[in-house]
Amino acid sequence: MRVLVLGRTGYLGRHVVAHLRGLPDTQLPEAGRSTAGAGAGLRVDLATDSPDRLAKTLAEAAPDAVINCAGATAGDAVTLAEVNTRGPAVLCTALRQAAPRARLVHLGSAAEYGPGEQGTKVTETAATRPLGPYGATKLAGTAVVTASGLDAVVLRVGNPVGPGAPPTGLPGRVAALLRETGAAEPEAGTGAVLRLGDLSAYRDFVDARDVARAAVLAALAAGPLPPVLNIGGGEAVRVRDLVHLLARRAGFGGRIEEAAGATGATDGSARSAAVSWQCSDITAAGEALDWRPSYPLEESLAALWADAGAEGGRTP
């Protein structure tokens, strides 16, 4: 089976590729914004390619399935729209021309739902009320995919955590700050201070490796799938608890200070700062894909910290 992964060098894309490489009888044609090092020489840029150009590339790749991990989490509204909305639109148009029978797995975001109700897990049929450009552009991308007429499924992913987490998200940013303080060194002592923003919100964290496994299961599944599936940890975790768990894993002996809006403070979640509660109901993914998260949060944080310490961490 030939599986084309778009956004393969990004955080989630790298995990998807690693998971696929462990499967027998699976071919991975290489494609990306740069052809450097790509054996097949396939160039794909969903933000700028025309549908016809992309269709030619897809015809050359001849995929049985496409997993679209390409996406932007930061930038202005134009940048977000180019990648998160235009990208899926161009991809669907090109697939209809070049590979109309290919299964499309598109990574969406739980940010599409917007604010959740305290104590409630949101299902795929819930109203979508994104508060900012990120969630709005991801939701528009989901609408394009689900209305495309293709054999497609959108995985609405919660907050990814685990090895390789980039500093654009809270877990990766906190890990980077802990490294900067020399948290694991005894001389860091109790005088170090980690200044963060408000950490009172609840988020649904899911290991990036579990996201990758869900994406691969969706790509290989026989028969049609529901148009949208939630992929998350299935539990709401207070962000403060995650930060303290990671600090303990790092051996941080200093203080953690919270001050919303304080100069120099960061909470790592500007794109969803107004959302105080987020938790996904993952029942449908269990039924459709026989998928459930396998990594406890503590294990994900341990892997994140170990990875952050190796070679100075990785960039997204």
Side-chain angles (χ1 to χ4, degrees):
M1 183 171 186
R2 291 175 64 81
V3 182
L4 178 64
V5 180
L6 302 178
R8 60 185 293 138
T9 61
Y11 176 34
L12 295 177
R14 291 197 301 268
H15 286 287
V16 170
V17 169
H19 193 86
L20 283 166
R21 282 179 174 156
L23 300 180
D25 303 321
T26 302
Q27 300 177 48
L28 299 175
E30 294 192 28
R33 285 181 296 177
S34 170
T35 57
L42 301 178
R43 181 190 173 279
V44 174
D45 187 344
L46 296 182
T48 60
D49 283 352
S50 69
D52 288 341
R53 187 190 190 288
L54 182 56
K56 292 179 181 178
T57 303
L58 292 174
E60 186 176 349
D64 298 299
V66 176
I67 302 177
N68 183 28
C69 304
T73 59
D76 59 24
V78 173
T79 300
L80 292 169
E82 286 174 344
V83 181
N84 297 338
T85 303
R86 182 191 187 276
V90 171
L91 176 58
C92 288
T93 301
L95 277 172
R96 284 195 295 267
Q97 294 181 38
R101 296 184 180 180
R103 163 74 51 81
L104 172 60
V105 179
H106 175 72
L107 299 192
S109 170
E112 298 170 35
Y113 290 118
E117 183 180 346
Q118 190 86 10
T120 301
K121 296 182 180 183
V122 66
T123 67
E124 291 84 353
T125 59
T128 47
R129 301 171 296 163
L131 293 184
Y134 171 71
T137 57
K138 291 296 289 185
L139 178 60
T142 289
V144 166
V145 172
T146 56
S148 67
L150 296 166
D151 177 10
V153 59
V154 176
L155 305 184
R156 276 196 178 132
V157 179
N159 290 61
V161 65
T168 51
L170 182 136
R173 184 174 300 186
V174 172
L177 291 172
L178 288 167
R179 285 191 67 252
E180 289 173 8
T181 66
E185 299 297 328
E187 54 267 28
T190 58
V193 179
L194 193 64
R195 292 183 174 87
L196 302 170
D198 181 10
L199 303 175
S200 63
Y202 287 82
R203 292 288 180 269
D204 187 330
F205 294 98
V206 58
D207 195 288
R209 294 164 292 184
D210 279 328
V211 176
R213 181 166 52 86
V216 172
L217 285 171
L220 303 182
L225 293 172
V228 177
L229 291 171
N230 289 336
I231 301 298
E235 298 293 338
V237 176
R238 192 186 289 269
V239 173
R240 181 180 301 121
D241 295 337
L242 177 137
V243 170
H244 283 266
L245 281 170
L246 184 53
R248 284 200 295 272
R249 168 60 61 176
F252 181 66
R255 300 194 318 277
I256 297 174
E257 294 183 354
E258 297 179 43
T263 302
T266 176
D267 63 6
S269 56
R271 63 181 182 269
S272 58
V275 179
S276 62
W277 174 274
Q278 204 171 64
C279 187
S280 296
D281 186 321
I282 56 175
T283 303
E287 295 173 348
L289 303 175
D290 194 23
W291 176 91
R292 291 166 187 80
S294 60
Y295 290 93
L297 181 59
E298 292 82 356
E299 189 172 338
S300 299
L301 295 176
L304 166 59
W305 180 247
D307 189 76
E311 301 177 1
R314 294 182 174 83
T315 55

